[in-house]
């Protein structure tokens, strides 16, 4: 299969040498590309394309929507989109899991400026949203459903694509400063410019809060657990010739979070340091019909935990690294036929250990593991008749520990002249066991990869030049060989309850492939924009169940996934520069455990916001979150933010 995909790429290269039959340009193979159209353009498809030509369900949040929400963290604004649920072990900075359509949190790929973010040392090898602030984001896109053809392992639930701002003027900048409840302060600034062949931008943010108790008050939590985070991002692109450019991008985050034990308050804390680096060369040939990108990306996530009252304060340390080489190309055969294709090589490694509290106990050796993944993919897009777009793709992954895996995808979009859009899509997913699941103190080297298949079909109606848009989508997904953690009792005789190679030394648990999960549901949304008046809302019905045959949990809800959620917002921009708005979120009940014996009650949150222009480039804003001080939990025993009031100033120049 690898050879077949390679031959396809070589064939495209050969066609590139042929005379151009049409003047069509290929889309730039760059997930952080600047929009060049007045239409809504998405980049989570790895090459910019009109949203009406994407067969999978997608939500796009542009800079105006991001500013209007006034949210500090990425999860807060993502939670307002269809099919999204989160759980958090306390306030800002604590472990945060985001789930798309009921999939596991580590089955979502997170991308910033074209670079995949994941921590090979994390339990499932996924991304923890705890430290992801809005920062200098100019767009956030959520692509739902299996997306492994273009984004590879982990994209079973979907993709969250974050694009930072790119300069468009000779000199430009922005800043946001706000403060509010619990001694919370957030300050962000960015500056950049575009002069001659060089375009550059740098930005930074500092966030700090006294926080809330990670353990909920009803379980004894009294002491506030603070959090602070510093982050910076930068990008630069140098155009060498009309068809050749080089670019670099970087992102850095450093956070410190005070945490509690499961039994109550304590003085423990954790730190997290994340670095993302990217360097690439962009080459355009044949008058833009053949675009190429050669790139190297590097991610490093370092996490440590400390117990200041311990004789040895360091209680946990881990480090996960990814090194990724990739080539991506796009080729426009004709105005109606185009392709995106590429080859990738990723090397990941991790180390982690949990030192004992006693200084008399020697430091344990690190648990270590590494893996290499080489992939090739191709996706063809065809418009056989006006208004109908069909695409199909194939991917081959060659994993150093699990061999070869071939995945397929196919979909179509029909756009009528009267604004009706019909979408259908089928996709497959593949996720190799994480390095932690294989090689940590709870690891199992006999694990199999998780497999998923999913499809969706939906309809959307656009009226009055997109002033009124509404639609609905039905989806299904089946996941097999899903990996779960099994706890061990003190008397268990299961061989995996003993440390490998030490048949008398017990461990607390292990990972295994004993689970099958299924999800299906409906996502409905609508939006009305009339001058300064905006009204939008969405409803998601997501049934995510354990379907493991012969188990006590067969038919039970998967933990921390509400079946019903709804969001709504309304805003009005007055002619004199004042914009006011309100938002409401309702979440139905869920269960915290696989047996469905620990219930998390439903809740309703109401937010208010206002912004007043104080000049052409300056505005002041304020908001109230959880206005009625609703008491709720997204994870059992863990606290959530009560009523919060914030105010600030924003500048754009």
């Amino acid at each position: 299969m690898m050879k077949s995909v390679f031959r396809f790429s070589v064939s495209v290269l050969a066609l590139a040498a042929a005379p151009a039959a049409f003047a069509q340009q290929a889309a730039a193979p760059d997930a952080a590309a600047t929009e060049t159209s007045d239409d809504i353009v998405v980049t989570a498809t790895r090459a910019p394309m009109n949203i009406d030509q994407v067969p999978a369900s997608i939500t796009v949040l542009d800079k105006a929507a991001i500013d209007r929400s006034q949210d500090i963290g990425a999860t807060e604004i993502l939670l307002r989109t269809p099919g999204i649920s989160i759980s958090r072990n306390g306030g800002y900075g604590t472990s945060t899991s985001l789930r798309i359509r009921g999939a596991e949190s580590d089955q979502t790929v997170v991308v910033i400026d074209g670079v995949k973010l994941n921590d090979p040392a994390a339990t499932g090898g996924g991304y923890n949203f705890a430290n992801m602030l809005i920062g200098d984001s100019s767009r956030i896109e959520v692509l739902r459903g299996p997306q492994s053809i273009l984004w590879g392992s982990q994209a079973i639930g979907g993709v969250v694509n974050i694009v930072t701002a790119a300069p468009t003027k000779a000199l430009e900048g922005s800043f946001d400063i706000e403060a509010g409840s619990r001694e919370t302060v957030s300050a962000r600034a960015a500056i950049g410019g575009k002069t001659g062949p060089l375009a550059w931008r740098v930005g930074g943010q500092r966030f700090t809060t006294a926080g809330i108790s990670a353990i909920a008050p009803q379980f004894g939590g009294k002491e506030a657990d603070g959090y602070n985070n510093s982050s910076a991002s930068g990008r630069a692109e140098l155009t060498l010739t009309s068809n050749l450019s080089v670019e670099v991008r970087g992102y850095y985050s450093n956070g410190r979070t005070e945490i509690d034990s499961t039994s109550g308050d304590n003085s423990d804390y954790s730190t997290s340091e994340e670095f993302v680096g990217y360097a690439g060369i962009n080459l355009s040939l044949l008058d833009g019909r053949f675009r190429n990108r050669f790139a190297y990306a590097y991610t490093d996530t370092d996490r440590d935990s400390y117990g200041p009252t311990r004789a040895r304060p360091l209680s946990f340390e881990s480090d996960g690294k990814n090194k990724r080489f990739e080539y991506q190309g796009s080729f426009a055969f004709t105005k109606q036929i185009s392709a995106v294709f590429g080859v990738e090589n990723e090397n990941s490694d991790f180390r982690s250990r949990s030192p004992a509290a006693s200084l008399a106990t020697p430091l344990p050796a690190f648990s270590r593991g590494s893996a290499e993944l080489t992939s090739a993919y191709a996706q063809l897009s065809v418009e056989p008749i006006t208004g109908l777009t069909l695409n199909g793709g194939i991917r081959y992954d060659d994993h150093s520990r699990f061999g070869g895996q071939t995945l397929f995808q196919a979909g179509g979009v029909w756009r009528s002249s009267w604004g009706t859009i019909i979408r259908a899509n089928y996709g497959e997913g593949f996720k190799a066991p994480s390095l932690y699941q294989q090689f940590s103190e709870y690891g199992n080297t006999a694990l199999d990869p998780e497999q998923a298949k999913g499809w969706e079909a939906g309809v959307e109606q656009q009226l009055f030049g997109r002033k009124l848009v509404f639609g609905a989508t039905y989806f299904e997904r089946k996941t097999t060989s899903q990996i779960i953690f099994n706890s061990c009792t003190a008397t268990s005789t299961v061989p995996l309850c003993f440390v490998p190679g030490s048949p008398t030394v017990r461990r607390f648990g292990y990972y295994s492939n004993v689970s099958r999960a299924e999800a299906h549901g409906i996502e409905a949304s609508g939006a009305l924009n009339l001058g300064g008046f905006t009204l939008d809302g969405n409803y998601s019905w997501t049934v995510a169940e354990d379907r493991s045959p012969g188990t006590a949990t067969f038919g039970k809800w998967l933990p921390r996934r509400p079946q019903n959620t709804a969001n709504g917002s309304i805003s009005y921009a007055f002619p004199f520069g004042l914009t006011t708005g309100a938002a409401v979120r309702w979440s139905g009940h869920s269960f915290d455990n696989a047996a469905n014996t620990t219930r998390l009650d439903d809740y309703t949150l109401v937010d208010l916001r206002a912004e007043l222009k104080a000049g052409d480039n300056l505005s002041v804003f304020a908001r109230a979150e959880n206005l009625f001080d609703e008491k709720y939990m997204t994870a059992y025993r863990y606290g959530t933010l009560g009523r919060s009031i914030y105010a600030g100033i924003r500048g754009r120049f």
Side-chain angles (χ1 to χ4, degrees):
M1 186 62 222
M2 182 75 168
K3 292 181 179 178
S4 298
V5 178
F6 179 72
R7 289 194 199 102
F8 175 83
S9 298
V10 172
S11 298
V12 171
L13 291 172
L15 285 171
F22 296 86
Q24 176 74 359
Q25 279 198 344
D30 179 6
T34 303
E35 297 174 26
T36 59
S37 171
D38 292 333
D39 294 328
I40 300 175
V41 176
V42 300
T43 58
T45 51
R46 297 205 74 153
M49 64 187 305
N50 191 292
I51 193 171
D52 292 343
Q53 295 178 308
V54 181
S57 297
I58 189 167
T59 298
V60 177
L61 302 167
D62 60 14
K63 187 59 176 175
I66 294 171
D67 285 348
R68 188 167 57 246
S69 74
Q70 299 184 19
D71 290 316
I72 296 175
T75 50
E76 281 67 42
I77 192 170
L78 289 170
L79 195 56
R80 305 178 195 273
T81 63
I84 300 289
S85 63
I86 69 165
S87 58
R88 177 183 280 159
N89 294 355
Y92 284 115
T94 56
S95 179
T96 304
S97 299
L98 181 142
R99 302 177 178 88
I100 300 179
R101 289 181 171 175
E104 297 295 328
S105 61
D106 53 43
Q107 293 174 342
T108 294
V109 164
V110 182
V111 182
I112 183 167
D113 286 345
V115 182
K116 289 173 62 176
L117 302 182
N118 69 301
D119 178 10
T123 301
Y127 180 74
N128 180 6
F129 274 86
N131 293 316
M132 178 58 75
L133 305 178
I134 291 295
D136 205 31
S137 303
S138 65
R139 303 171 58 80
I140 301 177
E141 303 169 350
V142 183
L143 193 59
R144 296 183 287 275
Q147 306 296 329
S148 288
I149 297 301
L150 294 179
W151 290 108
S153 180
Q154 294 181 296
I156 290 175
V159 176
V160 175
N161 181 45
I162 299 172
V163 182
T164 60
T168 58
K169 304 176 183 178
L171 183 65
E172 61 185 35
S174 63
F175 68 87
D176 302 86
I177 302 174
E178 65 177 278
S181 300
R182 304 174 198 88
E183 303 175 28
T184 300
V185 179
S186 177
R188 184 203 66 83
I191 189 169
K194 189 173 184 179
T195 304
L198 178 65
W200 61 277
R201 186 178 177 94
V202 293
Q205 183 169 4
R206 171 70 175 175
F207 175 83
T208 180
T209 180
I212 61 172
S213 173
I215 295 296
Q218 56 267 48
F219 294 98
K222 298 178 181 179
E223 179 185 56
D225 295 305
Y227 167 66
N228 63 71
N229 176 274
S230 299
S231 61
S233 63
R235 60 189 300 167
E237 182 172 3
L238 180 63
T239 301
L240 301 175
T241 67
S242 60
N243 64 342
L244 179 64
S245 66
V246 294
E247 60 181 322
V248 292
R249 309 177 199 138
Y251 171 81
Y252 175 80
S253 173
N254 189 316
R256 183 185 186 278
T257 309
E258 295 176 357
I259 55 179
D260 287 332
S261 69
T262 56
S263 59
D265 289 333
N266 63 24
S267 56
D268 291 2
Y269 66 93
S270 63
T271 62
S272 177
E273 189 173 23
E274 302 171 4
F275 173 76
V276 178
Y278 171 94
I281 300 173
N282 304 307
L283 176 63
S284 177
L285 301 172
L286 299 179
D287 295 324
R289 292 180 61 223
F290 184 25
R291 297 179 183 260
N292 306 269
R293 177 168 62 89
F294 305 86
Y296 171 75
Y298 174 80
T299 66
D300 187 355
T301 305
D302 191 347
R303 295 179 294 117
D304 300 311
S305 296
Y306 299 88
T309 60
R310 291 165 39 118
R312 176 183 284 135
L314 181 64
S315 59
F316 175 77
E317 59 180 321
S318 76
D319 184 47
K321 293 182 175 67
N322 268 331
K323 300 173 184 177
R324 185 183 185 89
F325 293 92
E326 60 183 58
Y327 161 76
Q328 183 183 330
S330 58
F331 188 84
F333 295 92
T334 70
K335 291 182 179 180
Q336 292 79 30
I337 304 175
S338 61
V340 176
F341 44 89
V343 179
E344 304 170 342
N345 177 264
E346 179 179 285
N347 284 273
S348 57
D349 62 77
F350 99 110
R351 65 174 191 173
S352 71
R353 65 180 176 183
S354 300
S358 173
L359 293 174
T361 303
L363 284 170
F366 281 103
S367 296
R368 297 177 181 270
S370 63
E372 181 179 6
L373 181 64
T374 301
S375 308
Y377 62 88
Q379 181 168 282
L380 187 68
S381 181
V382 179
E383 188 173 359
I385 59 175
T386 301
L388 176 64
T389 300
L390 304 175
N391 69 29
I394 186 171
R395 183 184 187 93
Y396 181 83
D397 285 335
D398 183 14
H399 197 281
S400 60
R401 297 186 179 275
F402 300 99
Q405 178 73 33
T406 304
L407 302 173
F408 298 93
Q409 178 272 329
V413 183
W414 177 69
R415 307 172 303 281
S416 73
S417 59
W418 55 89
T420 300
I421 299 175
I422 298 176
R423 291 182 168 90
N425 193 56
Y426 167 83
E428 298 178 345
F430 159 79
K431 181 179 180 297
S434 71
L435 295 177
Y436 188 92
Q437 289 167 340
Q438 296 177 75
F439 303 109
S440 72
E441 56 192 307
Y442 310 112
N444 178 2
T445 56
L447 290 171
D448 293 322
E450 297 176 337
Q451 309 276 351
K453 296 180 180 180
W455 67 273
E456 64 178 91
V459 61
E460 178 183 296
Q461 182 64 53
Q462 302 173 359
L463 299 172
F464 315 115
R466 287 186 185 268
K467 289 183 173 62
L468 176 62
V469 179
F470 56 90
T473 298
Y474 176 83
F475 69 88
E476 287 188 3
R477 184 187 64 253
K478 296 182 180 180
T479 306
T480 56
S481 297
Q482 189 155 306
I483 299 170
I484 64 172
F485 181 77
N486 297 269
S487 297
C488 294
T489 65
T491 58
S492 176
T493 58
V494 176
L496 284 171
C497 283
F498 296 86
V499 175
S502 303
T504 60
V505 181
R506 293 184 174 275
R507 56 181 181 174
F508 293 109
Y510 61 93
Y511 291 94
S512 67
N513 298 100
V514 298
S515 184
R516 174 189 177 97
E518 295 183 8
H520 64 269
I522 295 174
E523 297 163 350
S525 62
L528 174 64
N529 292 278
L530 294 176
F533 177 78
T534 301
L535 175 68
D536 62 68
N538 60 73
Y539 166 76
S540 299
W541 174 62
T542 305
V543 179
E545 297 179 333
D546 186 334
R547 307 296 292 181
S548 305
T551 66
T553 56
F554 181 85
K556 301 290 187 181
W557 294 17
L558 294 178
R560 301 179 181 179
R561 294 157 174 82
Q563 283 195 357
N564 298 279
T565 59
N567 295 277
S569 70
I570 185 172
S571 66
Y572 184 75
F574 293 89
F576 57 88
L578 174 66
T579 300
T580 59
V584 60
R585 173 173 177 78
W586 172 77
S587 174
H589 74 275
S590 61
F591 297 98
D592 192 71
N593 60 342
N596 289 185
T597 56
T598 304
R599 178 185 170 109
L600 302 174
D601 290 333
D602 62 309
Y603 60 90
T604 302
L605 305 179
V606 177
D607 303 337
L608 299 179
R609 63 176 182 267
E611 183 172 352
L612 177 65
K613 287 186 176 296
D616 292 338
N617 303 313
L618 195 66
S619 62
V620 293
F621 60 89
R623 69 184 181 280
E625 297 180 350
N626 193 2
L627 181 65
F628 299 108
D629 202 25
E630 179 89 343
K631 302 295 188 293
Y632 67 102
M633 290 184 291
T634 60
Y636 187 65
R637 294 177 59 86
Y638 291 101
T640 52
L641 293 170
R643 183 186 298 112
S644 306
I645 309 295
Y646 306 96
I649 186 170
R650 172 182 296 134
R652 304 284 186 265
F653 64 89

